[in-house]
Amino acid sequence: MENIWLEAQTNLKQVLTEQTYSTWIDPLKFLGATVDTIVLEVPSSFFQKWVTDKYLAMIKEAISAVNGKSYQIEFHVAEEKPEAAHEAKPEKEAKPAREKERDKDKEKEKDREKEKKELVPNLNPKYTFESFVSGPSNQFAYAASQAVANKPATNYNPLFIYGGVGLGKTHLVNAIGNHILAKNPKAKICYYSSEKFMNEMINSLRYKKMDEFRNKFRKMDLLLIDDIQFMAGKEATQEEFFHTFNALYESHKQIVVTSDKFPKDIPGLEERLRSRFEWGLIADIQPPGVETKVAILKKKSDMHAVNLPDDVALFLAEGANSNIRELEGMLIRLEAFASLTGQEITLSMAREVMKDIIVEKTRDITVEMIQKTVAEHFRIKVSELKSDKRIKTLVVPRQIAIYICRELTKASYPEIGEKFGGKDHSTIIHSVKKIEKQIAGDDEFKATVEDIRKKLFT
């Protein structure tokens, strides 16, 4: 039964942040089990209440996912050993003065190492200003971030960046930290999500280390807090952050905060915090346009040394919503497929790989549009495309048009046949199969079909 719990822990580790998992799931110890109950040990009553309120349903689901059976969870609080048992020592065990000095030196060294560890900023080195694609949708936030990075705590303090999910807020705050660190390697920089800030504060309360917690944040040169909206409604966390904010601001240290909403639109955020966020500069990031999304894809593909054709970049940019992370995920999926199969990235391959992700705007493409585009490409008349003439200069364009109609419209074989001069559905099926075979065996012919498709989407 313990193996079930260990597997469940592994599953939870994959869906929770590292900080959340190590704080609330890893300390749970398997004690035993009955037919329908698993007994876990928790460090304290506070811990039990928090885990029950926040993670019990998730724990049950993770266990059920292992063997398909539902279990009740019972928590036992570990017995707390009285502090006195560790304090009083017989006089005869007193250490010599020289040994005491050595112990003090070791403690000081431990403190120094701990301080060094705390001062190592957990920034993502990939997120720099150089790797950020600036466009009309994010230009203001980009310029403001650069200004703060070049002259921290001068004009824009705090800097509040807000915008939707996956638009580049985290990239910009990391870029600020990386830029300052590159100029001053000794700078004390702290990048935290609001959730991590809250979890660390709770741990400090549990272990009576609040002074340590406060000193850690209030000695920083730059404090970067991501997703501040998750502090909404958390009174104790907001209280602590408020005093941390004041201490840093009064010491002329830079503060950068991100959110998915404008300060006044965050429900459950204290008014005194709102007003402080408005002391500095508020910059927004809007969803990127198609051109910016194409530029992002091209930059990412260059970084990964992957050849991404322009028509594929346009296809992904038009098919994705405005979430940059989703766009990057599509690119990674396409790169992985190309690498594993040894294929070049093409528009037809991208359509196949992304068919479950991108819902193309094919409802706007009609049989008539395809006929017109194909006719213009081959410099023939639409009436000739629909005719029964069997000369090669008309047969091939006609078959290509039928193939694309089948691919990009919802028209059935008989409906397509009707649009091409009342041709039989068997003729339409033959045309589709003929073009599929030619595409598979002739790269030049394949490029011609891709070119016509591209014209339909531009």
Side-chain angles (χ1 to χ4, degrees), residues 25-26 33 41 51-52 71 113 145 150 176 254 280 327 336 339 408:
I25 304 300
D26 195 44
E41 183 183 84
V51 170
T52 301
Y71 289 88
E113 288 299 319
S145 299
N150 288 320
I176 292 169
Q254 180 68 49
L327 200 64
S339 174
L408 298 185

Side-chain angles (χ1 to χ4, degrees), residues 58-74:
M58 192 180 288
I59 290 169
K60 285 182 176 180
E61 280 183 32
I63 292 171
S64 178
V66 175
N67 68 349
K69 184 179 175 182
S70 296
Y71 289 88
Q72 293 301 314
I73 306 298
E74 188 176 306

Side-chain angles (χ1 to χ4, degrees), residues 81-206:
K81 297 178 179 64
E83 289 291 326
H86 302 283
E87 288 174 5
K89 296 284 179 184
E91 199 63 41
K92 62 180 180 181
E93 289 185 21
K95 294 182 180 179
R98 190 177 297 174
E99 197 173 334
K100 283 182 180 179
E101 284 299 317
R102 279 201 299 269
D103 287 347
K104 281 182 184 178
D105 290 340
K106 283 180 183 177
E107 285 299 318
K108 285 179 183 177
E109 184 62 31
K110 278 184 184 177
D111 289 341
R112 279 194 293 270
E113 288 299 319
K114 186 177 179 183
E115 188 172 349
K116 276 184 190 177
K117 191 175 179 182
E118 284 180 352
L119 293 180
V120 175
N122 53 333
L123 298 166
N124 188 331
K126 293 180 183 178
Y127 289 156
T128 64
F129 287 123
E130 291 72 28
S131 64
F132 189 86
V133 177
S134 176
S137 60
N138 57 31
Q139 213 160 28
F140 181 47
Y142 178 69
S145 299
Q146 284 188 311
V148 163
N150 288 320
K151 292 184 178 180
T154 305
N155 295 320
Y156 310 131
N157 195 22
L159 173 62
F160 188 99
I161 303 172
Y162 76 96
V165 175
L167 297 184
K169 303 185 297 295
T170 298
H171 190 136
L172 283 178
V173 292
N174 274 271
I176 292 169
N178 284 320
H179 186 86
I180 291 174
L181 195 64
K183 289 199 303 181
N184 178 14
K186 292 183 178 178
K188 298 172 184 175
I189 299 171
C190 181
Y191 166 71
Y192 264 43
S193 66
S194 61
E195 182 191 25
K196 188 177 179 184
F197 182 92
M198 181 178 70
N199 286 338
E200 196 159 308
M201 189 194 84
I202 291 167
N203 277 338
S204 299
L205 283 167
R206 278 171 56 203

Side-chain angles (χ1 to χ4, degrees), residues 320-342:
N321 63 26
S322 299
N323 188 322
I324 305 303
R325 287 180 201 149
E326 182 186 346
L327 200 64
E328 291 175 356
M330 288 180 180
L331 181 61
I332 290 167
R333 180 170 176 161
L334 204 56
E335 289 172 2
F337 184 86
S339 174
L340 292 170
T341 61

Side-chain angles (χ1 to χ4, degrees), residues 350-368:
R351 280 202 177 93
E352 180 61 28
V353 174
M354 298 295 163
K355 64 184 178 184
D356 296 328
I357 299 173
I358 295 178
V359 179
E360 281 192 68
K361 299 172 183 175
T362 54
R363 62 183 180 277
D364 296 329
I365 295 176
T366 63
V367 172
E368 289 76 15

